[in-house]
Amino acid sequence: MAKHNAANARTKREYFQYLKEAGRRSEASIDAVAKALDRFEQANGHKDFRKFHREQAVAFKRKLDAERTVRTGKPLSRATVNSTLSALRAFFVWLAGQPGYKSCLRYGDADYFNLPDTDVRIAKAVRHKPFPSLEQVHHVLAVMPCATDIEKRNRALVAFALLTGARDGALASFRLKHVDLQEGRVDQDARDVQTKASKTFSTWFFPVGGNALEIVRDWCTHLRTALLWGDEDPLFPATRIALGESGGFVAAGLRRDGWTNAGPVRKIFADAFASAGLPYFNPHSFRDTLVQLGERVCPNIEAFKAWSQNLGHARAMTTLTSYGTLAPHRQAELIRGMAADQTAPAIYPATLAQVMGLLQKLGAKAWHSLLAGRRWRC
């Protein structure tokens, strides 16, 4: 069986270039498409794309249904299957319009990569994501050691993630110049910071209570006064590795450069939660924690809009639909509470989402009228 097809390789290279330059897709997104195409070629014996037939798509779907993951031995999730088939469908739709393929392929043949509607609904179902409570994060900060520079950095990293809701890529790339302690603000400048979709925005520290803000202030002061670092130095520097007395490599303080990826950030979070006797929560889960806090403390729609923008969301709908799902125990509390107290009406996220969708249709005048109107309860 062939293990390579030169014509296919050239075609894929053109498609990846199209995705990057015309489709404005990220490298990570293109890598996922490349993986899907490679999986299809392996299953198809690396046949020339010009010989594609819809029966190949049907056979590939059956193979995916029978395939199992290497790590767990379980069948592939519907989400994995759906994303793989969607990538292949988009590729063959594009390919059908390319010179040399128009006479061989039909646009409709790509539709045979579609999953049944029931499977698509399973793949796209929104499920509750576990995230830490505010009290759990404060407990982690309370038990984290802070004797050495490395320990101070690790504790400040967790505190900063809670104050800002920054993603792990951004946490790994912040510099001292991006933090304004006097204003209580961090500038997520996409020229320097690895933000999602290269968006630039400012985040004011969230009112999370506890000593998170004090920890971050002490850390920034330590970097500037004790280590004499400046604006261009990393906010969270990498660990310096040196040769220990026993001949092995050991941590020996901080380097004056940052991490090249977010792997060390996630490792610090994993160690911190394990030491506190809690299950692991990744940095991104802190965003869910903050949204849940915002739903409880924001007094009106304008305040929640500010809370949403603070997370880098252009639309409050994104905050509600992506992070606003209530935990099951909280859902139960609210339902039981409404049964006990029916005296005052309240607006909850689902209702708010419908109202905001209607306002978008009505236009800016209706939106501003509501911002100046009545208060709402979360």
Side-chain angles (χ1 to χ4, degrees):
M1 182 181 291
K3 294 185 178 181
H4 180 72
N5 187 306
N8 286 359
R10 288 192 293 270
T11 302
K12 288 191 295 183
R13 189 162 53 245
E14 291 178 13
Y15 183 58
F16 298 153
Q17 183 72 5
Y18 164 79
L19 290 179
K20 179 180 179 180
E21 302 299 339
R24 299 182 294 180
R25 304 282 284 275
S26 66
E27 291 296 331
S29 178
I30 295 172
D31 286 343
V33 174
K35 184 178 180 180
L37 286 170
D38 182 65
R39 183 174 251 161
F40 174 74
E41 283 194 284
Q42 289 186 32
N44 202 36
H46 291 270
K47 291 180 182 178
D48 195 305
F49 289 142
R50 290 182 177 84
K51 298 180 180 179
F52 173 74
H53 189 271
R54 59 195 181 193
E55 289 299 328
Q56 295 175 10
V58 175
F60 181 65
K61 287 195 291 186
R62 290 177 185 149
K63 184 179 186 305
L64 287 181
D65 287 338
E67 196 169 326
R68 294 182 175 270
T69 60
V70 176
R71 186 171 60 88
T72 65
K74 296 181 179 180
L76 296 178
S77 69
R78 292 294 90 186
T80 299
V81 173
N82 185 57
S83 62
T84 299
L85 294 176
S86 296
L88 290 170
R89 182 187 181 281
F91 169 71
F92 279 101
V93 167
W94 171 84
L95 193 61
Q98 302 306 303
Y101 291 91
K102 293 180 180 180
S103 60
C104 309
L105 303 177
R106 298 178 180 177
Y107 287 104
D109 288 344
D111 291 336
Y112 282 82
F113 282 110
N114 289 334
L115 276 176
D117 286 343
T118 53
D119 285 3
V120 173
R121 283 193 288 270
I122 293 172
K124 295 184 177 181
V126 177
R127 296 172 177 85
H128 172 66
K129 298 177 293 182
F131 58 88
S133 67
L134 200 56
E135 293 75 19
Q136 285 177 318
V137 181
H138 285 311
H139 172 66
V140 169
L141 291 173
V143 301
M144 288 184 75
C146 56
T148 67
D149 285 351
I150 292 176
E151 291 172 345
K152 286 183 173 70
R153 177 203 64 191
N154 294 351
R155 191 170 68 141
L157 176 68
V158 176
F160 195 78
L162 181 62
L163 284 170
T164 64
R167 293 178 169 85
D168 53 11
L171 292 170
S173 53
F174 279 124
R175 301 179 189 175
L176 271 169
K177 68 178 182 180
H178 297 126
V179 182
D180 187 335
L181 291 176
Q182 186 173 358
E183 292 290 328
R185 185 189 76 237
V186 56
D187 295 319
Q188 304 204 37
D189 190 336
R191 293 174 298 181
D192 307 308
V193 181
Q194 297 175 18
T195 60
K196 183 178 180 179
S198 298
K199 289 190 294 185
T200 294
F201 60 97
S202 293
T203 296
W204 279 261
F205 295 149
F206 285 99
V208 295
N211 62 346
L213 182 55
E214 181 184 352
I215 291 172
V216 170
R217 281 176 174 164
D218 290 345
W219 172 243
C220 292
T221 302
H222 180 73
L223 288 176
R224 290 187 180 275
T225 60
L227 300 184
L228 302 179
W229 287 14
D231 284 347
E232 294 299 326
D233 288 309
L235 180 61
F236 301 111
T239 304
R240 183 167 61 87
I241 303 299
L243 196 63
E245 295 181 357
S246 61
F249 291 106
V250 296
L254 303 174
R255 298 201 321 243
R256 203 159 182 166
D257 58 352
W259 292 303
T260 57
N261 58 67
V265 174
R266 293 189 288 271
K267 178 66 166 58
I268 290 171
F269 271 67
D271 292 343
F273 276 89
S275 298
L278 296 172
Y280 168 58
F281 293 104
N282 61 36
H284 196 274
S285 67
F286 281 27
R287 296 172 66 82
D288 293 273
T289 304
L290 290 169
V291 171
Q292 297 293 311
L293 175 63
E295 288 181 341
R296 296 191 184 199
V297 303
C298 291
N300 51 49
I301 293 179
E302 185 179 29
F304 192 82
K305 174 63 176 175
W307 198 277
S308 174
Q309 286 183 190
N310 222 36
L311 287 166
H313 294 157
R315 298 177 178 85
M317 284 288 292
T318 303
T319 309
L320 288 168
T321 55
S322 297
Y323 299 92
T325 303
L326 293 173
H329 74 276
R330 179 59 179 160
Q331 178 183 346
E333 289 175 5
L334 291 172
I335 296 297
R336 291 166 184 158
M338 284 186 281
D341 180 14
Q342 300 180 7
T343 57
I347 298 180
Y348 292 95
T351 304
L352 177 60
Q354 296 175 357
V355 172
M356 295 178 69
L358 178 61
L359 288 174
Q360 289 176 351
K361 294 180 181 179
L362 294 177
K365 184 178 293 185
W367 169 253
H368 290 298
S369 297
L370 185 62
L371 288 183
R374 297 176 59 189
R375 293 166 62 86
W376 58 288
R377 288 172 52 192
C378 298

